[in-house]
Amino acid sequence: MHITQLNRECLLHLFSFLDKNSRKSLAKTCHKLLEVFQDPLLWSLLNFHSPAELKKDNFLLGPALKYLSICWYSERVKVCNIEDWMKNNFQKDFCNRHENTVNDFLLEVCNRCPNLLSLTLSGCGHVTDDCILLLLKNCPNLKTLRLENCVRITDQTLEAVTRYGGSLQMLHVDFCRNVTQTGLERVREKCPSVMLRAERSANMIPDSKPEKKSMLEKASRKLVQL
């Protein structure tokens, strides 16, 4: 039996074992397999491991998407986690491209994937509070939100969780250096049913501009002298 003689359910099952590139390559062989590739039911789960993957045409975003994971930890991407005021021009240009890519992709998720249940964003240094706010508003069924090492996330995201995270059951903000203990306590107070994890977040040194740091250093020196 030729593969194209299988019914749609069998083909969807076979496609589900393939990675995104393999699915795309197989879809190019005939119209029937292309139709399987374009079936929204095939795309209930998506995993990405680099910013470049977000710009490829080897996947589909749609209402069937339930589980989305975007994680990267390469040496080059670590630049994105440096405070903006410490970056040189080359690093800023590099990070701006990543920021535009991530923001555009997440905006598409907001518009096309209202049934999202789980979102993992780990090591994504350009994810902003505004992006998470839109996601919480547009994906009301979201149950799991993992934001490990998303350095631009602040208490504004935690506040958005208390307002729009009605379905949320799990929130991870580990190693988010701009999250405060006050923000975490507010989530615990307003959303007691949410399983909150924030390893080291409120104990890390937050981003601050040089002038702010110099003022803190002067104040600390005065205290030492006293």
Side-chain angles (χ1 to χ4, degrees):
M1 176 182 289
H2 193 272
I3 187 174
T4 56
Q5 294 177 284
L6 296 172
N7 61 31
R8 176 62 68 89
E9 289 73 18
C10 289
L11 289 174
L12 283 171
H13 185 65
L14 289 175
F15 264 75
S16 69
F17 290 97
L18 304 176
D19 59 30
K20 295 188 291 295
N21 286 331
S22 298
R23 292 178 184 180
K24 183 67 175 180
S25 297
L26 190 57
K28 292 179 179 179
T29 60
C30 71
H31 290 295
K32 185 172 183 178
L33 296 182
L34 176 60
E35 290 177 358
V36 176
F37 175 85
Q38 295 174 338
D39 192 323
L41 295 178
L42 182 62
W43 303 100
S44 61
L45 182 151
L46 280 172
N47 294 307
F48 299 93
H49 303 287
S50 75
E53 290 184 19
L54 301 179
K55 297 189 290 184
K56 293 184 176 180
D57 62 347
N58 58 0
F59 64 91
L60 293 180
L61 290 177
L65 183 64
K66 301 292 181 63
Y67 307 95
L68 173 61
S69 174
I70 307 174
C71 306
W72 52 72
Y73 299 100
S74 73
E75 290 297 325
R76 293 181 64 194
V77 178
K78 286 182 180 179
V79 173
C80 303
N81 293 329
I82 301 173
E83 295 93 329
D84 287 340
W85 56 269
M86 291 183 65
K87 296 173 184 173
N88 58 38
N89 290 333
F90 173 78
Q91 290 170 330
K92 287 179 179 178
D93 181 64
F94 177 80
C95 292
N96 284 338
R97 294 198 298 272
H98 277 180
E99 182 173 2
N100 292 334
T101 298
V102 173
N103 288 343
D104 290 346
F105 180 82
L106 291 179
L107 183 59
E108 289 295 315
V109 172
C110 289
N111 294 331
R112 299 185 185 185
C113 311
N115 300 312
L116 193 65
L117 296 178
S118 175
L119 174 63
T120 297
L121 300 170
S122 296
C124 303
H126 295 306
V127 176
T128 64
D129 294 317
D130 291 338
C131 283
I132 302 302
L133 173 62
L134 285 174
L135 282 163
L136 289 169
K137 284 184 174 181
N138 288 277
C139 304
N141 300 318
L142 193 66
K143 297 182 182 299
T144 301
L145 180 59
R146 295 184 177 92
L147 303 171
E148 292 94 344
N149 201 27
C150 292
V151 296
R152 296 182 66 178
I153 293 302
T154 72
D155 286 358
Q156 292 183 38
T157 285
L158 301 183
E159 182 63 26
V161 166
T162 64
R163 294 186 178 186
Y164 307 107
S167 299
L168 208 62
Q169 299 175 358
M170 183 182 297
L171 174 64
H172 291 184
V173 287
D174 304 86
F175 303 98
C176 294
R177 62 177 179 244
N178 291 302
V179 165
T180 71
Q181 192 63 47
T182 300
L184 296 173
E185 290 300 329
R186 182 166 175 79
V187 172
R188 293 189 178 100
E189 176 188 353
K190 296 293 183 179
C191 309
S193 62
V194 173
M195 184 182 297
L196 177 62
R197 199 175 78 180
E199 183 181 352
R200 292 186 62 184
S201 290
N203 296 323
M204 298 178 73
I205 299 174
D207 295 342
S208 57
K209 294 181 180 180
E211 57 267 22
K212 291 184 179 179
K213 283 193 173 183
S214 62
M215 292 175 63
L216 290 172
E217 290 172 355
K218 289 179 181 178
S220 62
R221 283 198 295 267
K222 287 184 179 179
L223 289 173
V224 171
Q225 292 175 355
L226 292 175

